Amino acid sequence: MTTGNIQLLSDTLAKAKAENRAALIAYLPAGFPTVDGGIAAIKAVFDGGADVVEVGLPHSDPVLDGPVIQTADDIALRGGVKIADVMRTVREAHEATGKPVLVMTYWNPIDRYGVERFTEELAAAGGAGCILPDLPVQESDVWRAHADKHGLATVFVVAPSSRDARLATITAAGSGFVYAASLMGVTGTRESVGEQAADLVRRTRATAPALPVCVGLGVSNAAQAKEVAAFADGVIVGSAFVKRILDADGDETAGLAAVRELAAELAEGVRRVS
């Protein structure tokens, strides 16, 4: 049986903690701007200093994603990206770097593809697990059974509106880490990450102190990364990377340089001052 890389993910987060810093987790959609271009971008982000990468599975109705990621998803879908391309992206990014790569996806594509088929292929590609923003924890038994069988993490998303009892249910069922949405709304860069995120991390940690809590939605620069790194185990950045590629306007060399540079800036930001 091929197993995934949940242990690699856990070890990576633990190593960052031992170094007195937060982990830098980057997000980029598969197939954007092309399948090959997306793989190159992920390698560039890792080269710049990211610890973990989330590969987005482009979806036609991305309820959690803001306009920047929606634009990238549309480009990928118009380019004909398929789940096989997502698996190839995971495999090549992981093989080239040896670092943990997850897939972030809505539930419908997995349900249509087949849970067993999806988990088996993701594990075979060296994937570390999945972030599932719209899968209710109380309906996740089938997914988790297959994920556990193949050594994959199940990362659930919590929000400032999540009550303590629900946080406890989610942390009991989840693995790898918990994705804490810093505020209510969709992904995108913002001027401030806000105090809600620190409170959400504190409340989530109280339910499962050993499970890392990583914060996303709104982080776009080193100063914000440093702010979040002061209280979170990981800092998740997506829209800012996607925007760098969009701003390159088709110039792949410029786009790769831009995301590598941003990763280096953010990696410096997540290094806490003792």
Side-chain angles (χ1 to χ4, degrees), residues 74-98:
D74 185 56
I75 290 168
L77 290 168
R78 283 191 282 114
V81 69
K82 301 286 191 293
I83 287 180
D85 298 313
V86 178
M87 298 299 178
R88 179 190 154 206
T89 298
V90 171
R91 181 172 57 255
E92 293 193 15
H94 172 64
E95 286 179 351
T97 64

Side-chain angles (χ1 to χ4, degrees), residues 26 50 71 84 102 105 144 152 154 187 210-211 217 228 248:
T71 298
L102 301 108
T105 178
R144 286 189 287 123
L152 299 169
T154 297
T187 60
L211 189 62
L217 271 67
V228 174

Side-chain angles (χ1 to χ4, degrees), residues 29-35 38 58-60 67-82 242-243 245-247 249-250:
F32 168 73
T34 62
V35 176
H59 193 265
S60 57
V68 171
I69 291 176
Q70 285 183 20
T71 298
D73 278 3
D74 185 56
I75 290 168
L77 290 168
R78 283 191 282 114
V81 69
K82 301 286 191 293
V242 173
K243 189 174 186 300
I245 295 174
L246 289 171
D247 287 348
D249 198 25

